[in-house]
Amino acid sequence: MLIAASDHRVGRSQIGALVEYQGKFMQKSPFLLNGWYCAGWSEELDRQKIIGRRLLNMPIVIYRADGQAVALHDRCPHRFAPLSKGAVKDGNLVCGYHGLAFSRTGQCVESPFGDRKVPNAAVQAFPVVERDNAIWFWPGDPELADPAAIPEFAGLGDAKGRQGYLNLKANYQLAIDNLMDLSHIEFVHLRTFGGAGCFFEGQHETRKVSDTEIWSLWTMDDVQPPAPARAAFGDQRVNHWQDMCWRAPSNLSFDMGLVPLGLDRSSAPPRMQQAHLLTPETETSTHYFYSKEQQDEPKEFDMLKIAFEEEDAPMMEACQRNMGDNFWAERPVVLATDASAILVRRMLDKMIREQNSD
Ligand code: FES
Ligand SMILES: [Fe+2]
């Protein structure tokens, strides 16, 4: 099914105007536009009602009209006030400065001053889909926004799952590197789940399913369990795996587990499955949405929070501060263990180059 914008009722003429608008502002975007990005968690929108957030370097406002999530350019065309400082009234977003009201398609539909003419003005509306506790946003060509292309994530729709958010002061591709090259666990995550030496004994494989789906697979057979699993496994040696899957543009899923020697994965006791949804805020900052399926121990989620916020984030942010804005111009050393991360970079670079050459 294809959808056209925040609302299925957007007409073709409006879509043309929106594309033209986008052409003016986004033709040479450093980000991949035709793709689904997480814009926020549903519970966040339940709480705040209106979210003003920079996504792919554009100010965006998200709210619900008659229960349906809507995303508009967060800039009133009158004096450019952020519409996110306004209010929702009868399904329209009313500017908090002089009261112009905009429908879910972005069209100005009301002026507050008596019978004066409603200005022929509009703001861009973006396709948006709310699914499994997440709000998905499509910054590209509305005609290509297919909700069926939104990836499935284990646990994302689980009412007992947990969600987190981190505002990372680093480019989103540094975060993809971090996730696609988990060898850093041995060094960065010493307070949480690293340091057992599993990765030094493991095998790493990069599996390319398509240009938009790449796996980074770590298989660690006959190793000591990592620290968090010691309570369950003691000193018993285990078969352990950590599988990360990237899907374009920047949505990753993670499956980690371990079993006693001699057993296969299907017999694994509770596994850890996570979603890592990385949405560029600017070229040097990222909305990092993460979630974990429900497991028995709430403290496992607290440990993830420590791992991401106190271990990963400071390292990635320090890397960002230490480099310029062109990764390849820095001539990075390439290691065997970052083969998956490098392949993702090449795929993304290729798609962005093609987009910008159109
Ligand atoms: S700035 Fe929005 S109505 Fe004036
Ligand atoms: Fe990490």
Side-chain angles (χ1 to χ4, degrees), residues 222-225 230 232-239 258-261:
D222 193 4
V223 293
Q224 276 204 340
R230 289 284 164 76
F233 289 87
D235 284 334
Q236 173 182 193
R237 291 178 76 82
V238 296
N239 290 337
L258 61 174
V259 288
L261 295 185

Side-chain angles (χ1 to χ4, degrees), residues 76 78-81 95 97-100:
C76 178
H78 177 224
R79 282 299 177 277
F80 317 116
C95 180
Y97 202 175
H98 312 96
L100 289 179

